[in-house]
Structure formats: C-alpha cells, structure tokens
Amino acid sequence: MNTELVTPGRTRRKLKVGRVISNKMQKSIVVSIERKVAHPIYKKYYRLTSTLMVHDEKREAGVGDLVKVMETRPLSKRKRWRFVEIVKKAK
C-alpha cells in the first residue's frame, strides 16, 4: 500500500486494480474488477467480474486502461470509488 495515500488519523482505504470499460460520462468511469474464485465442491477456478463506478476528476483514464482505484465516501448514488492512477495505458 502506498503510504502517500494514507493520511494520519484515518483508516486504511481499499485499493483495487481493474480495467476501464466505459468513460462516456463526465468525470466518471466504469471499471471492471476480475477475480478468480475456487468452486466450493469441484475446486476448479472460475472468473467473477464486478463493475465499479469511479470518480475521475481530470478525465485521464481511457477505455482499456488498467487503473488503480481507492475506496472513498459516497459521491453519488452509485459512486463510492475514486481514481488514483493509470497502471498501464491501453494500446
């Protein structure tokens, strides 16, 4: 965890890395988070995908970019995450 993202006296916030699937809104992006889960009986791994609404103030992220997002206070009905940085630009 980056120490610059944690302010004193505040709890640690969750960080996630995902891929941008939409940036058509003003100051908002949709990020897809993919994780692998083992089946409880067969133990085979399969992928589960979650989508997050993320606040992107400067509109930096593009579709296909790998981005880091941080948990924050509720910004709207569905937005509870904030854009931190681009990990890898899309080609």
Coordinates of all heavy atoms in Angstrom, one line a residue:
M1 N 0.9 -1.2 0.0 CA 0.0 0.0 0.0 C 0.9 1.2 0.0 O 1.9 1.3 0.7 CB -0.9 0.0 1.2 CG -1.7 1.2 1.5 SD -3.3 0.6 1.8 CE -4.3 2.0 1.3
N2 N 0.6 2.2 -0.8 CA 1.3 3.4 -0.9 C 1.1 4.2 0.4 O -0.1 4.5 0.8 CB 0.9 4.3 -2.1 CG 1.3 3.6 -3.4 OD1 2.1 2.6 -3.4 ND2 0.8 4.0 -4.5
T3 N 2.1 4.7 1.0 CA 2.0 5.5 2.2 C 1.5 6.9 2.0 O 0.9 7.5 2.8 CB 3.3 5.6 3.0 OG1 4.3 6.1 2.1 CG2 3.8 4.2 3.5
E4 N 1.7 7.4 0.7 CA 1.2 8.7 0.4 C -0.3 8.8 0.3 O -0.9 9.9 0.4 CB 1.8 9.2 -0.9 CG 1.3 8.5 -2.1 CD 2.3 8.0 -3.0 OE1 3.5 7.9 -2.5 OE2 2.0 7.6 -4.1
L5 N -1.0 7.7 0.2 CA -2.5 7.6 0.1 C -3.1 7.6 1.4 O -4.4 7.7 1.5 CB -2.9 6.4 -0.8 CG -2.4 6.4 -2.2 CD1 -2.8 5.2 -2.9 CD2 -2.8 7.7 -3.0
V6 N -2.4 7.3 2.5 CA -3.0 7.2 3.8 C -2.6 8.4 4.6 O -1.5 8.8 4.8 CB -2.4 5.9 4.5 CG1 -3.0 5.8 5.9 CG2 -2.7 4.7 3.7
T7 N -3.7 9.1 5.1 CA -3.5 10.3 6.0 C -3.5 9.9 7.4 O -4.2 8.9 7.8 CB -4.5 11.3 5.7 OG1 -5.8 10.8 5.8 CG2 -4.4 11.9 4.3
P8 N -2.8 10.5 8.3 CA -2.8 10.2 9.7 C -4.2 10.3 10.3 O -4.9 11.3 10.0 CB -1.8 11.1 10.3 CG -1.2 11.9 9.3 CD -1.9 11.6 8.0
G9 N -4.5 9.4 11.2 CA -5.8 9.5 11.9 C -7.0 9.0 11.1 O -8.1 9.1 11.5
R10 N -6.7 8.4 9.9 CA -7.8 7.9 9.1 C -7.5 6.4 8.8 O -6.4 6.0 8.8 CB -7.7 8.7 7.8 CG -9.0 8.5 6.9 CD -8.9 9.2 5.6 NE -9.3 10.6 5.8 CZ -9.4 11.5 4.8 NH1 -9.0 11.1 3.6 NH2 -9.9 12.7 5.0
T11 N -8.6 5.6 8.7 CA -8.4 4.2 8.5 C -7.9 4.0 7.1 O -8.0 4.8 6.2 CB -9.8 3.5 8.6 OG1 -10.7 4.0 7.6 CG2 -10.4 3.6 10.0
R12 N -7.3 2.8 6.9 CA -6.7 2.4 5.6 C -7.9 2.2 4.6 O -8.9 1.6 5.0 CB -5.9 1.2 5.7 CG -4.6 1.4 6.4 CD -3.6 0.3 6.1 NE -2.4 0.5 6.8 CZ -1.4 1.1 6.3 NH1 -1.4 1.6 5.0 NH2 -0.3 1.3 6.9
R13 N -7.7 2.7 3.4 CA -8.8 2.5 2.4 C -8.4 1.4 1.4 O -7.2 1.2 1.1 CB -9.0 3.8 1.6 CG -9.4 4.9 2.6 CD -9.6 6.2 1.8 NE -10.2 7.2 2.7 CZ -10.7 8.3 2.3 NH1 -10.7 8.6 1.1 NH2 -11.3 9.1 3.2
K14 N -9.4 0.7 0.9 CA -9.2 -0.4 0.0 C -8.7 0.1 -1.3 O -9.2 1.2 -1.8 CB -10.5 -1.2 -0.2 CG -11.0 -1.9 1.0 CD -12.3 -2.5 0.7 CE -12.9 -3.1 2.0 NZ -14.3 -3.4 1.8
L15 N -7.8 -0.5 -1.9 CA -7.3 -0.2 -3.3 C -7.5 -1.4 -4.1 O -7.4 -2.6 -3.7 CB -5.7 0.0 -3.2 CG -5.3 1.3 -2.7 CD1 -3.8 1.4 -2.6 CD2 -5.7 2.5 -3.6
K16 N -8.0 -1.2 -5.4 CA -8.2 -2.2 -6.3 C -7.7 -1.8 -7.7 O -7.6 -0.6 -8.0 CB -9.7 -2.5 -6.4 CG -10.3 -3.1 -5.2 CD -11.8 -3.6 -5.4 CE -12.3 -4.1 -4.1 NZ -12.9 -5.4 -4.1
V17 N -7.3 -2.8 -8.5 CA -6.9 -2.6 -9.8 C -7.8 -3.3 -10.8 O -8.2 -4.4 -10.6 CB -5.4 -3.2 -10.0 CG1 -5.0 -3.0 -11.5 CG2 -4.5 -2.5 -9.1
G18 N -8.3 -2.5 -11.8 CA -9.2 -3.0 -12.8 C -9.1 -2.3 -14.1 O -8.3 -1.4 -14.3
R19 N -9.9 -2.8 -15.1 CA -9.8 -2.3 -16.5 C -11.0 -1.4 -16.7 O -12.1 -1.7 -16.4 CB -9.8 -3.5 -17.4 CG -9.4 -3.1 -18.8 CD -8.8 -4.2 -19.6 NE -7.7 -4.9 -19.0 CZ -6.4 -4.6 -19.2 NH1 -6.1 -3.5 -19.8 NH2 -5.5 -5.3 -18.7
V20 N -10.7 -0.2 -17.4 CA -11.8 0.7 -17.7 C -12.6 0.1 -18.9 O -12.1 -0.2 -19.9 CB -11.2 2.1 -18.1 CG1 -12.3 3.1 -18.5 CG2 -10.4 2.7 -16.9
I21 N -13.9 0.1 -18.7 CA -14.8 -0.4 -19.7 C -15.7 0.7 -20.3 O -16.2 0.5 -21.4 CB -15.7 -1.6 -19.3 CG1 -16.5 -1.3 -18.0 CG2 -14.8 -2.8 -19.0 CD1 -17.4 -2.4 -17.6
S22 N -15.8 1.8 -19.7 CA -16.5 2.9 -20.2 C -16.0 4.3 -19.6 O -15.7 4.3 -18.4 CB -18.0 2.8 -19.9 OG -18.7 3.9 -20.2
N23 N -15.9 5.3 -20.4 CA -15.6 6.6 -20.0 C -16.4 7.7 -20.6 O -16.0 8.8 -20.8 CB -14.1 6.9 -20.2 CG -13.7 7.0 -21.6 OD1 -14.5 6.6 -22.5 ND2 -12.5 7.5 -21.9
K24 N -17.6 7.4 -21.0 CA -18.5 8.3 -21.7 C -19.2 9.3 -20.8 O -19.8 10.2 -21.3 CB -19.6 7.5 -22.5 CG -19.0 6.6 -23.5 CD -20.0 5.9 -24.4 CE -19.2 5.0 -25.3 NZ -19.8 5.0 -26.6
M25 N -19.1 9.2 -19.5 CA -19.7 10.2 -18.6 C -18.7 11.3 -18.3 O -17.5 11.1 -18.5 CB -20.2 9.5 -17.3 CG -21.2 8.4 -17.6 SD -21.4 7.3 -16.2 CE -20.1 6.2 -16.4
Q26 N -19.2 12.4 -17.8 CA -18.3 13.4 -17.4 C -17.9 13.1 -16.0 O -18.6 13.0 -15.0 CB -19.1 14.8 -17.4 CG -19.5 15.2 -18.8 CD -20.3 16.5 -18.7 OE1 -20.4 17.2 -17.7 NE2 -20.9 16.9 -19.8
K27 N -16.5 13.1 -15.8 CA -15.9 12.9 -14.5 C -16.2 11.5 -13.9 O -16.0 11.3 -12.7 CB -16.2 14.0 -13.5 CG -15.7 15.3 -14.0 CD -16.0 16.4 -12.9 CE -15.5 17.7 -13.4 NZ -15.7 18.8 -12.4
S28 N -16.7 10.6 -14.7 CA -17.0 9.2 -14.1 C -16.5 8.2 -15.1 O -16.6 8.4 -16.3 CB -18.5 9.0 -13.9 OG -18.9 9.9 -12.9
I29 N -16.0 7.0 -14.6 CA -15.7 5.9 -15.5 C -16.2 4.7 -14.8 O -16.6 4.6 -13.6 CB -14.1 5.8 -15.6 CG1 -13.4 5.6 -14.3 CG2 -13.6 6.9 -16.4 CD1 -11.9 5.4 -14.3
V30 N -16.4 3.6 -15.6 CA -16.8 2.3 -15.1 C -15.6 1.4 -15.2 O -15.0 1.3 -16.3 CB -18.0 1.8 -15.9 CG1 -18.5 0.4 -15.4 CG2 -19.2 2.7 -15.9
V31 N -15.3 0.7 -14.1 CA -14.1 -0.1 -14.0 C -14.6 -1.6 -13.7 O -15.4 -1.8 -12.9 CB -13.1 0.4 -12.9 CG1 -12.0 -0.6 -12.8 CG2 -12.6 1.7 -13.3
S32 N -14.0 -2.5 -14.5 CA -14.3 -3.9 -14.3 C -13.2 -4.6 -13.5 O -12.0 -4.5 -13.8 CB -14.4 -4.6 -15.7 OG -14.6 -6.0 -15.5
I33 N -13.6 -5.2 -12.3 CA -12.7 -5.9 -11.4 C -12.9 -7.4 -11.6 O -14.0 -7.8 -11.5 CB -12.9 -5.5 -10.0 CG1 -12.9 -4.0 -9.8 CG2 -11.9 -6.2 -9.1 CD1 -11.6 -3.3 -9.9
E34 N -11.8 -8.1 -12.0 CA -11.9 -9.5 -12.2 C -11.2 -10.3 -11.1 O -10.0 -9.9 -10.8 CB -11.3 -9.8 -13.6 CG -11.7 -11.1 -14.1 CD -11.3 -11.3 -15.6 OE1 -10.1 -11.8 -15.7 OE2 -12.0 -11.0 -16.5
R35 N -11.8 -11.3 -10.6 CA -11.1 -12.1 -9.6 C -11.4 -13.6 -9.8 O -12.4 -13.9 -10.5 CB -11.5 -11.7 -8.2 CG -13.0 -11.9 -7.9 CD -13.4 -11.2 -6.6 NE -14.8 -11.3 -6.4 CZ -15.4 -12.1 -5.6 NH1 -14.7 -13.0 -4.9 NH2 -16.7 -12.2 -5.5
K36 N -10.5 -14.5 -9.4 CA -10.7 -15.9 -9.6 C -11.1 -16.5 -8.2 O -10.6 -16.2 -7.2 CB -9.4 -16.5 -10.0 CG -9.0 -16.2 -11.4 CD -7.8 -17.0 -11.9 CE -7.5 -16.7 -13.3 NZ -6.4 -17.4 -13.9
V37 N -12.1 -17.4 -8.3 CA -12.7 -18.0 -7.2 C -12.8 -19.5 -7.4 O -13.1 -20.0 -8.5 CB -14.2 -17.5 -7.0 CG1 -14.8 -18.1 -5.8 CG2 -14.2 -16.0 -6.9
A38 N -12.4 -20.2 -6.3 CA -12.5 -21.7 -6.4 C -13.9 -22.2 -6.2 O -14.6 -21.7 -5.2 CB -11.5 -22.3 -5.4
H39 N -14.3 -23.1 -7.0 CA -15.7 -23.7 -6.8 C -15.6 -24.5 -5.5 O -14.7 -25.2 -5.2 CB -16.0 -24.6 -7.9 CG -17.4 -25.1 -7.9 ND1 -17.8 -26.2 -7.2 CD2 -18.5 -24.7 -8.6 CE1 -19.1 -26.3 -7.4 NE2 -19.6 -25.4 -8.2
P40 N -16.7 -24.4 -4.6 CA -16.7 -25.0 -3.3 C -16.6 -26.5 -3.3 O -16.0 -27.1 -2.4 CB -18.0 -24.5 -2.6 CG -18.8 -23.9 -3.7 CD -17.9 -23.5 -4.8
I41 N -17.1 -27.2 -4.3 CA -17.1 -28.6 -4.4 C -16.0 -29.1 -5.3 O -15.2 -30.0 -5.0 CB -18.5 -29.2 -4.8 CG1 -19.6 -28.8 -3.8 CG2 -18.4 -30.7 -5.1 CD1 -21.0 -29.1 -4.2
Y42 N -16.0 -28.6 -6.6 CA -15.1 -29.1 -7.6 C -13.7 -28.5 -7.6 O -12.8 -29.0 -8.2 CB -15.7 -28.9 -9.0 CG -17.1 -29.6 -9.1 CD1 -18.2 -28.8 -9.3 CD2 -17.2 -30.9 -8.9 CE1 -19.5 -29.4 -9.4 CE2 -18.5 -31.5 -8.9 CZ -19.6 -30.7 -9.2 OH -20.8 -31.3 -9.3
K43 N -13.5 -27.5 -6.8 CA -12.2 -26.8 -6.6 C -11.6 -26.2 -7.9 O -10.5 -25.9 -8.0 CB -11.2 -27.7 -6.0 CG -11.6 -28.4 -4.7 CD -12.0 -27.4 -3.7 CE -12.4 -28.1 -2.4 NZ -13.3 -27.3 -1.6
K44 N -12.4 -26.2 -9.0 CA -12.0 -25.6 -10.2 C -12.1 -24.0 -10.1 O -13.1 -23.6 -9.5 CB -12.8 -26.1 -11.4 CG -12.3 -25.5 -12.7 CD -13.0 -26.1 -13.9 CE -12.6 -25.4 -15.1 NZ -12.1 -26.2 -16.1
Y45 N -11.2 -23.3 -10.6 CA -11.2 -21.8 -10.5 C -12.0 -21.3 -11.7 O -11.9 -21.7 -12.8 CB -9.8 -21.2 -10.5 CG -9.1 -21.3 -9.2 CD1 -8.4 -22.4 -8.9 CD2 -9.3 -20.3 -8.2 CE1 -7.7 -22.6 -7.6 CE2 -8.7 -20.4 -7.0 CZ -7.9 -21.5 -6.7 OH -7.3 -21.6 -5.5
Y46 N -12.8 -20.3 -11.4 CA -13.6 -19.5 -12.4 C -13.5 -18.1 -12.1 O -13.2 -17.7 -11.0 CB -15.0 -20.1 -12.6 CG -15.8 -20.0 -11.3 CD1 -16.7 -18.9 -11.1 CD2 -15.8 -21.0 -10.3 CE1 -17.5 -18.8 -10.0 CE2 -16.6 -20.9 -9.2 CZ -17.4 -19.8 -9.0 OH -18.1 -19.7 -7.9
R47 N -13.8 -17.2 -13.2 CA -13.6 -15.8 -13.0 C -15.0 -15.2 -12.6 O -16.0 -15.5 -13.2 CB -13.2 -15.2 -14.3 CG -11.7 -15.4 -14.6 CD -11.3 -14.7 -15.8 NE -11.6 -15.6 -16.9 CZ -11.3 -15.4 -18.2 NH1 -10.7 -14.3 -18.5 NH2 -11.6 -16.3 -19.1
L48 N -14.9 -14.2 -11.7 CA -16.1 -13.4 -11.3 C -15.7 -12.0 -11.6 O -14.6 -11.5 -11.4 CB -16.4 -13.5 -9.9 CG -17.2 -14.8 -9.5 CD1 -17.5 -14.8 -8.0 CD2 -18.5 -15.0 -10.2
T49 N -16.6 -11.2 -12.2 CA -16.4 -9.8 -12.6 C -17.3 -8.9 -11.8 O -18.5 -9.2 -11.7 CB -16.6 -9.7 -14.1 OG1 -15.8 -10.6 -14.8 CG2 -16.2 -8.3 -14.5
S50 N -16.8 -7.9 -11.3 CA -17.6 -6.8 -10.6 C -17.3 -5.5 -11.3 O -16.2 -5.3 -11.8 CB -17.1 -6.7 -9.1 OG -17.1 -7.9 -8.5
T51 N -18.3 -4.7 -11.4 CA -18.2 -3.4 -12.0 C -18.3 -2.3 -10.9 O -19.2 -2.4 -10.1 CB -19.1 -3.1 -13.2 OG1 -20.5 -3.2 -12.7 CG2 -18.9 -4.1 -14.3
L52 N -17.5 -1.3 -11.0 CA -17.5 -0.2 -10.1 C -17.6 1.1 -10.8 O -17.1 1.3 -11.9 CB -16.2 -0.1 -9.3 CG -15.7 -1.3 -8.6 CD1 -14.3 -1.1 -8.1 CD2 -16.6 -1.7 -7.5
M53 N -18.4 2.1 -10.3 CA -18.5 3.4 -10.8 C -17.4 4.2 -10.1 O -17.3 4.2 -8.8 CB -19.8 4.1 -10.5 CG -21.0 3.5 -11.3 SD -21.0 4.1 -12.9 CE -21.5 5.8 -12.7
V54 N -16.5 4.9 -10.8 CA -15.3 5.5 -10.3 C -15.3 7.0 -10.6 O -15.6 7.4 -11.8 CB -14.0 4.8 -10.8 CG1 -12.8 5.5 -10.2 CG2 -14.1 3.4 -10.4
H55 N -15.0 7.9 -9.7 CA -14.9 9.3 -9.9 C -13.5 9.6 -10.5 O -12.5 9.3 -9.9 CB -15.1 10.1 -8.6 CG -15.1 11.5 -8.8 ND1 -16.1 12.2 -9.5 CD2 -14.2 12.5 -8.4 CE1 -15.8 13.5 -9.5 NE2 -14.7 13.7 -8.9
D56 N -13.5 10.2 -11.7 CA -12.2 10.6 -12.4 C -12.3 12.1 -12.7 O -12.8 12.5 -13.8 CB -12.1 9.8 -13.7 CG -10.8 10.0 -14.5 OD1 -9.9 10.7 -13.9 OD2 -10.7 9.6 -15.6
E57 N -11.8 12.9 -11.8 CA -12.0 14.3 -11.9 C -11.4 14.9 -13.1 O -12.0 15.8 -13.8 CB -11.3 15.0 -10.6 CG -11.5 16.5 -10.5 CD -12.9 16.9 -10.2 OE1 -13.6 16.2 -9.4 OE2 -13.3 18.0 -10.7
K58 N -10.1 14.5 -13.5 CA -9.4 15.1 -14.6 C -9.7 14.4 -15.9 O -9.1 14.8 -16.9 CB -7.9 15.1 -14.3 CG -7.6 16.0 -13.1 CD -6.1 15.9 -12.8 CE -5.9 16.6 -11.4 NZ -4.5 16.2 -10.9
R59 N -10.5 13.4 -15.9 CA -10.8 12.6 -17.2 C -9.6 12.1 -17.8 O -9.4 12.2 -19.0 CB -11.7 13.5 -18.1 CG -13.0 14.0 -17.5 CD -13.9 14.6 -18.4 NE -14.4 13.5 -19.3 CZ -15.2 13.7 -20.3 NH1 -15.6 14.9 -20.6 NH2 -15.6 12.7 -21.0
E60 N -8.7 11.5 -17.1 CA -7.4 10.9 -17.6 C -7.6 9.5 -18.2 O -6.9 9.2 -19.1 CB -6.4 10.9 -16.4 CG -6.1 12.2 -15.8 CD -5.2 12.1 -14.6 OE1 -4.6 11.0 -14.4 OE2 -5.2 13.0 -13.8
A61 N -8.4 8.7 -17.6 CA -8.5 7.3 -18.0 C -9.2 7.1 -19.3 O -10.3 7.7 -19.5 CB -9.1 6.5 -16.9
G62 N -8.8 6.2 -20.1 CA -9.4 5.8 -21.4 C -9.9 4.4 -21.3 O -9.4 3.6 -20.5
V63 N -10.7 4.0 -22.3 CA -11.2 2.6 -22.3 C -10.0 1.7 -22.6 O -9.2 1.9 -23.4 CB -12.3 2.5 -23.4 CG1 -12.7 1.0 -23.6 CG2 -13.5 3.4 -23.2
G64 N -10.0 0.6 -21.8 CA -8.9 -0.4 -21.9 C -7.8 -0.2 -21.0 O -6.9 -1.1 -20.8
D65 N -7.7 1.0 -20.3 CA -6.6 1.2 -19.4 C -6.7 0.4 -18.2 O -7.8 0.2 -17.7 CB -6.5 2.7 -19.0 CG -6.2 3.7 -20.1 OD1 -5.7 3.2 -21.2 OD2 -6.3 4.9 -19.9
L66 N -5.6 0.0 -17.6 CA -5.5 -0.7 -16.3 C -5.3 0.4 -15.3 O -4.4 1.1 -15.3 CB -4.4 -1.7 -16.3 CG -4.5 -2.8 -15.2 CD1 -5.7 -3.7 -15.5 CD2 -3.2 -3.6 -15.3
V67 N -6.3 0.6 -14.3 CA -6.3 1.7 -13.4 C -6.3 1.2 -11.9 O -6.8 0.1 -11.7 CB -7.4 2.7 -13.6 CG1 -7.3 3.3 -15.0 CG2 -8.8 2.0 -13.5
K68 N -5.8 2.0 -11.0 CA -5.9 1.8 -9.6 C -6.9 2.7 -9.0 O -6.9 3.9 -9.3 CB -4.5 2.0 -8.9 CG -4.5 1.6 -7.5 CD -3.2 2.0 -6.9 CE -2.1 1.1 -7.4 NZ -0.8 1.3 -6.6
V69 N -7.9 2.2 -8.2 CA -8.9 2.9 -7.6 C -8.9 2.8 -6.1 O -8.4 1.8 -5.6 CB -10.3 2.6 -8.2 CG1 -10.4 2.9 -9.7 CG2 -10.7 1.1 -8.0
M70 N -9.4 3.8 -5.4 CA -9.4 3.8 -4.0 C -10.8 4.0 -3.5 O -11.6 4.8 -4.0 CB -8.5 4.9 -3.4 CG -8.4 4.9 -1.9 SD -7.6 6.3 -1.2 CE -6.8 7.2 -2.4
E71 N -11.2 3.3 -2.4 CA -12.5 3.5 -1.7 C -12.6 4.9 -1.2 O -11.6 5.4 -0.6 CB -12.6 2.5 -0.6 CG -13.9 2.3 0.0 CD -13.9 1.2 1.0 OE1 -12.9 1.0 1.7 OE2 -15.0 0.5 1.1
T72 N -13.7 5.5 -1.2 CA -13.9 6.8 -0.7 C -15.4 7.0 -0.2 O -16.2 6.0 -0.2 CB -13.6 7.9 -1.7 OG1 -13.6 9.2 -1.2 CG2 -14.6 7.9 -2.9
R73 N -15.7 8.2 0.3 CA -17.1 8.4 0.8 C -18.0 8.4 -0.4 O -17.6 8.5 -1.5 CB -17.1 9.8 1.5 CG -16.9 10.9 0.5 CD -16.9 12.2 1.3 NE -16.5 13.3 0.4 CZ -17.4 13.9 -0.5 NH1 -18.6 13.6 -0.5 NH2 -16.9 14.9 -1.2
P74 N -19.3 8.2 -0.2 CA -20.3 8.2 -1.3 C -20.3 9.5 -2.0 O -20.5 10.6 -1.4 CB -21.6 7.9 -0.6 CG -21.3 7.2 0.7 CD -19.9 7.8 1.1
L75 N -20.0 9.5 -3.3 CA -20.0 10.7 -4.1 C -21.3 10.9 -4.8 O -21.7 12.0 -5.2 CB -18.9 10.7 -5.1 CG -17.5 10.6 -4.5 CD1 -16.4 10.3 -5.5 CD2 -17.2 11.9 -3.7
S76 N -22.1 9.8 -5.1 CA -23.4 9.9 -5.7 C -24.1 8.6 -5.4 O -23.6 7.8 -4.5 CB -23.3 10.1 -7.2 OG -22.8 8.9 -7.8
K77 N -25.2 8.3 -6.0 CA -26.0 7.1 -5.7 C -25.1 5.8 -5.9 O -25.2 4.9 -5.1 CB -27.2 7.0 -6.6 CG -28.1 5.9 -6.4 CD -29.3 5.9 -7.3 CE -30.1 4.7 -7.1 NZ -31.3 4.7 -8.0
R78 N -24.3 5.8 -6.9 CA -23.6 4.5 -7.2 C -22.0 4.7 -7.1 O -21.3 3.7 -7.1 CB -23.9 4.1 -8.6 CG -25.3 3.6 -8.8 CD -25.7 3.3 -10.2 NE -24.8 2.3 -10.8 CZ -24.6 2.2 -12.1 NH1 -25.2 3.0 -12.9 NH2 -23.7 1.3 -12.6
K79 N -21.5 5.9 -7.0 CA -20.1 6.1 -7.0 C -19.5 6.1 -5.5 O -19.9 7.0 -4.7 CB -19.7 7.5 -7.6 CG -19.6 7.4 -9.1 CD -18.8 8.5 -9.7 CE -19.4 9.9 -9.5 NZ -18.7 10.9 -10.3
R80 N -18.7 5.1 -5.2 CA -18.0 5.0 -3.9 C -16.5 4.8 -4.1 O -15.8 4.5 -3.1 CB -18.6 3.9 -3.1 CG -19.8 4.2 -2.3 CD -21.0 3.8 -3.0 NE -22.2 4.0 -2.1 CZ -23.1 4.9 -2.3 NH1 -23.0 5.8 -3.4 NH2 -24.2 5.1 -1.6
W81 N -16.0 5.0 -5.3 CA -14.6 4.8 -5.6 C -14.0 6.0 -6.3 O -14.7 6.7 -7.0 CB -14.4 3.6 -6.4 CG -14.8 2.3 -5.7 CD1 -16.1 1.8 -5.6 CD2 -14.0 1.5 -5.0 NE1 -16.1 0.7 -4.9 CE2 -14.8 0.4 -4.4 CE3 -12.6 1.4 -4.7 CZ2 -14.3 -0.6 -3.6 CZ3 -12.1 0.4 -3.9 CH2 -13.0 -0.6 -3.4
R82 N -12.7 6.2 -6.1 CA -12.0 7.4 -6.7 C -10.8 6.9 -7.5 O -10.1 6.0 -7.0 CB -11.6 8.3 -5.6 CG -11.0 9.6 -6.0 CD -10.7 10.6 -4.9 NE -9.7 10.0 -4.0 CZ -9.7 10.1 -2.7 NH1 -10.6 10.7 -2.1 NH2 -8.7 9.5 -2.0
F83 N -10.6 7.5 -8.6 CA -9.5 7.1 -9.5 C -8.2 7.6 -8.8 O -8.1 8.7 -8.3 CB -9.7 7.8 -10.9 CG -8.5 7.8 -11.8 CD1 -8.2 6.6 -12.5 CD2 -7.7 8.8 -11.9 CE1 -7.1 6.6 -13.4 CE2 -6.6 8.8 -12.8 CZ -6.3 7.6 -13.5
V84 N -7.1 6.7 -8.9 CA -5.8 7.1 -8.3 C -4.8 7.3 -9.3 O -4.2 8.4 -9.4 CB -5.4 6.0 -7.3 CG1 -4.0 6.3 -6.7 CG2 -6.4 5.9 -6.1
E85 N -4.6 6.3 -10.2 CA -3.5 6.4 -11.2 C -3.8 5.3 -12.3 O -4.5 4.4 -12.1 CB -2.1 6.2 -10.6 CG -1.9 4.8 -10.1 CD -0.5 4.6 -9.5 OE1 0.4 5.4 -9.8 OE2 -0.3 3.6 -8.8
I86 N -3.1 5.6 -13.4 CA -3.1 4.6 -14.5 C -1.9 3.7 -14.3 O -0.8 4.1 -14.3 CB -3.1 5.3 -15.9 CG1 -4.3 6.2 -16.1 CG2 -2.9 4.3 -17.0 CD1 -4.3 7.0 -17.3
V87 N -2.2 2.4 -14.2 CA -1.1 1.4 -14.1 C -0.5 1.1 -15.4 O 0.7 1.0 -15.6 CB -1.7 0.1 -13.4 CG1 -0.6 -0.9 -13.3 CG2 -2.2 0.4 -12.0
K88 N -1.4 0.9 -16.4 CA -0.9 0.6 -17.8 C -1.9 1.2 -18.8 O -3.1 0.9 -18.7 CB -0.8 -0.9 -17.9 CG -0.2 -1.4 -19.3 CD -0.1 -2.9 -19.3 CE 0.5 -3.3 -20.6 NZ 0.5 -4.7 -20.8
K89 N -1.4 1.9 -19.8 CA -2.2 2.5 -20.8 C -2.6 1.4 -21.8 O -1.9 0.5 -22.1 CB -1.5 3.6 -21.5 CG -1.5 4.9 -20.9 CD -2.8 5.5 -20.8 CE -3.0 6.7 -21.7 NZ -4.3 7.4 -21.4
A90 N -3.8 1.6 -22.4 CA -4.3 0.7 -23.5 C -3.5 1.0 -24.7 O -3.0 2.1 -25.0 CB -5.8 0.9 -23.7
K91 N -3.4 0.0 -25.6 CA -2.6 0.2 -26.9 C -3.5 0.8 -27.9 O -4.7 0.8 -28.0 CB -2.2 -1.2 -27.4 CG -1.1 -1.8 -26.5 CD -0.6 -3.1 -27.0 CE 0.4 -3.7 -26.0 NZ 0.8 -5.0 -26.4

